[in-house]
Amino acid sequence: MSDRQHASVEDFHSYFLVTGANGGLGYAICCRLIDEFILTRPSSHSLRLIITTRDKTKSHDTIAKLKDHIFRTRKHHKLHEKSPLVPKIYLQSEQVDLCQLRSVQILIKKLSRSLPKLDTVILNAGLGGFTGIDWPLAIWAVLTNFRQEMTYPTFKLGGVGDLTAPQISNPTSSGPTSSQLGQIFCSNVFGHYLLVHGIANLLSNSSATSGRVIWISSLEAYGSTFSIDDLQGLSSPLGYESSKRLTDILALTSRLPVTQQWVDRFLPSPSNHRAPKQYVAHPGICATNILPIHWILVYFMVAAFYLARWIGSPWHTVMSYKGACAPVWLALASQEELDAVEREGGAGKWGSAIDWQGEERASRTEVQGWGIGGKVGDNVGLPKSSRLREAEDLNEDGKERFALVGRSCWHAMEKLRVEWEELLKEEDD
């Protein structure tokens, strides 16, 4: 079989990787991917869905739940399992602890040996690092500014300076000053960063999509929470928000000329292959267990989310399955469709939006310093009550500052990646 024939055959077989798939949004993304693939792809196509969890028990349980979901989807749509008219779904589970760089390297080696390509990687896994709620502040804020606080809360409490376990046994003065990394930073950003760099060759082998990297962010990626001088967010009680702001910056500036020298090192691709593209999405506001509150209070939280939706909030998806709308759309849309959307409106942060009746859709999301697509003068399209209080319309100065911060972030991330890969290699030697 010629290379062209082999590529053509592989176009019918999609390989998707979803991290943190054992619950919440990650599991919902897997379910929605399966449903939409079955209902929109011809019978000649197949999907191999590779999920990652932190241990074998979670992997086993998740695969069992997904198999049951596939059965129920086919039954609901009256599609027989062995029907030649139904696309085939194959499930594969892997284990990785994104807070342990050795674990990430093991997964890279295993995937590189066992897969011919990866079409899409959805980087969902992560930690919130929240320790609770400032209840007096929460009650006052919600009563005086309900929609704003339900969308952009200011009352969450987070830990400060939480670190991973030691990554190496004998740290040297030539590398980072500590054998540890910021726990939230490592789980939400750096572990994924090393993983994607390590499987760049698999992404470059995707002829159908050119390889897609979909970072999962949040509405809470406030500009004020991140500082390039504190890349890992170790000095801030807003470590989660800082990590998500960094995620936005990396994804949205990944195709700007000022970042290309570092992006090309991060995602190297052969000269005859298209370079993988990076996108960023968020689920809106879902009722998950990322915030540690008593189970009775969960019912009040869900009720408040629905109320916010009914009075006009476009972001309260509430259910994780609806929150999976934007990431799954980015994963399954044709490259021609995504390129056309970006030519018209620019590269954006895609969120799972919803109307008061519960109909979800993928919608551009305003990002401080970037607007809705990096285009000065574009209308955000939201009433002021639905925007972050500090939000301002994009101007040329703000866009230039965002690009320069993006350049600094890419430089810092590549420097950190090289340092840690050299340290790990030295310890192996």
Side-chain angles (χ1 to χ4, degrees):
M1 181 181 291
S2 68
D3 290 343
R4 178 174 294 181
Q5 288 173 317
H6 183 264
S8 179
V9 170
E10 282 299 329
D11 285 350
F12 296 123
H13 304 293
S14 299
Y15 291 78
F16 285 11
L17 172 68
V18 180
T19 66
N22 56 287
L25 179 64
Y27 178 73
I29 287 173
C30 293
C31 290
R32 189 154 189 148
L33 273 172
I34 289 167
D35 292 349
E36 295 194 14
F37 194 92
I38 288 175
L39 297 175
T40 63
R41 294 299 193 269
S43 58
S44 56
H45 286 225
S46 68
L47 168 65
R48 178 169 293 277
L49 180 58
I50 303 108
I51 66 164
T52 74
T53 67
R54 278 185 287 179
D55 59 60
K56 290 184 177 180
T57 300
K58 289 180 179 178
S59 289
H60 180 271
D61 292 344
T62 304
I63 290 293
K65 288 193 299 180
L66 288 174
K67 286 180 177 178
D68 183 59
H69 179 81
I70 294 171
F71 173 79
R72 287 185 281 110
T73 295
R74 286 173 170 157
K75 183 177 180 181
H76 177 75
H77 293 283
K78 298 181 173 58
L79 301 171
H80 192 274
E81 181 180 1
K82 296 183 179 179
S83 170
L85 302 178
V86 180
K88 299 295 187 291
I89 307 293
Y90 303 98
L91 301 175
Q92 177 179 332
S93 64
E94 303 293 347
Q95 291 79 51
V96 65
D97 182 348
L98 292 166
C99 286
Q100 286 297 315
L101 304 186
R102 291 285 186 196
S103 177
V104 174
Q105 289 187 328
I106 290 170
L107 178 62
I108 290 169
K109 291 177 182 177
K110 187 170 184 180
L111 294 177
S112 298
R113 287 195 302 261
S114 63
L115 299 179
K117 66 170 184 171
L118 273 170
D119 297 293
T120 299
V121 177
I122 302 180
L123 306 175
N124 165 76
L127 296 172
F130 300 114
T131 57
I133 289 176
D134 182 338
W135 284 107
L137 175 60
I139 293 169
W140 172 255
V142 169
L143 290 176
T144 56
N145 201 350
F146 180 78
R147 191 194 296 188
Q148 183 77 195
E149 290 296 331
M150 282 290 99
T151 309
Y152 309 105
T154 59
F155 46 78
K156 294 180 180 179
L157 300 175
V160 178
D162 292 336
L163 297 171
T164 65
Q167 304 288 341
I168 53 176
S169 56
N170 297 304
T172 66
S173 58
S174 61
T177 57
S178 170
S179 64
Q180 297 167 285
L181 287 157
Q183 187 179 48
I184 297 173
F185 167 78
C186 195
S187 175
N188 296 4
V189 185
F190 193 59
H192 281 136
Y193 191 90
L194 286 189
L195 173 62
V196 171
H197 174 75
I199 57 176
N201 61 317
L202 295 177
L203 288 162
S204 295
N205 287 341
S206 173
S207 56
T209 66
S210 78
R212 290 178 198 162
V213 178
I214 302 173
W215 294 86
I216 300 299
S217 184
S218 167
L219 279 169
E220 297 174 49
Y222 315 133
S224 61
T225 63
F226 175 76
S227 169
I228 188 62
D229 297 324
D230 186 20
L231 185 72
Q232 301 186 39
L234 289 172
S235 301
S236 171
L238 303 173
Y240 173 80
E241 293 86 346
S242 173
S243 73
K244 294 305 180 182
R245 176 65 174 179
L246 176 58
T247 296
D248 286 359
I249 293 169
L250 292 173
L252 291 172
T253 63
S254 62
R255 281 174 261 165
L256 297 182
V258 296
T259 65
Q260 284 313 295
Q261 68 180 103
W262 295 289
V263 176
D264 290 344
R265 297 173 192 172
F266 168 60
L267 276 179
S269 59
S271 58
N272 61 334
H273 288 222
R274 290 180 295 178
K277 291 188 175 182
Q278 299 181 65
Y279 299 90
V280 61
H282 71 84
I285 300 169
C286 303
T288 66
N289 61 359
I290 193 170
L291 187 63
I293 59 175
H294 193 279
W295 66 268
I296 292 177
L297 297 176
V298 172
Y299 292 100
F300 290 97
M301 178 182 72
V302 171
F305 285 178
Y306 275 113
L307 179 57
R309 181 203 293 180
W310 293 334
I311 64 174
S313 168
W315 299 122
H316 283 80
T317 48
V318 186
M319 307 303 294
S320 295
Y321 189 87
K322 292 184 180 292
C325 172
V328 171
W329 172 70
L330 283 173
L332 293 179
S334 68
Q335 194 59 51
E336 291 75 15
E337 179 182 358
L338 293 181
D339 290 345
V341 167
E342 292 196 342
R343 279 195 301 271
E344 180 180 352
K349 177 179 179 177
W350 292 95
S352 299
I354 199 163
D355 63 24
W356 71 274
Q357 295 176 304
E359 293 296 324
E360 69 269 28
R361 66 193 184 281
S363 180
R364 291 180 182 277
T365 306
E366 185 176 17
V367 175
Q368 289 175 280
W370 186 255
I372 60 170
K375 292 189 173 184
V376 176
D378 277 2
N379 183 15
V380 173
L382 287 175
K384 189 173 181 62
S385 59
S386 293
R387 299 173 68 186
L388 180 64
R389 188 183 294 108
E390 295 79 17
E392 298 178 352
D393 292 340
L394 182 63
N395 56 48
E396 290 292 350
D397 288 342
K399 182 179 176 180
E400 184 178 356
R401 286 195 299 271
F402 191 87
L404 292 177
V405 171
R407 182 178 66 180
S408 297
C409 289
W410 275 105
H411 184 197
M413 290 293 290
E414 270 301 283
K415 181 174 182 289
L416 195 64
R417 176 186 66 79
V418 171
E419 287 176 346
W420 275 103
E421 287 181 344
E422 287 178 351
L423 279 174
L424 293 170
K425 186 174 184 299
E426 285 176 9
E427 190 168 59
D428 288 340
D429 296 340

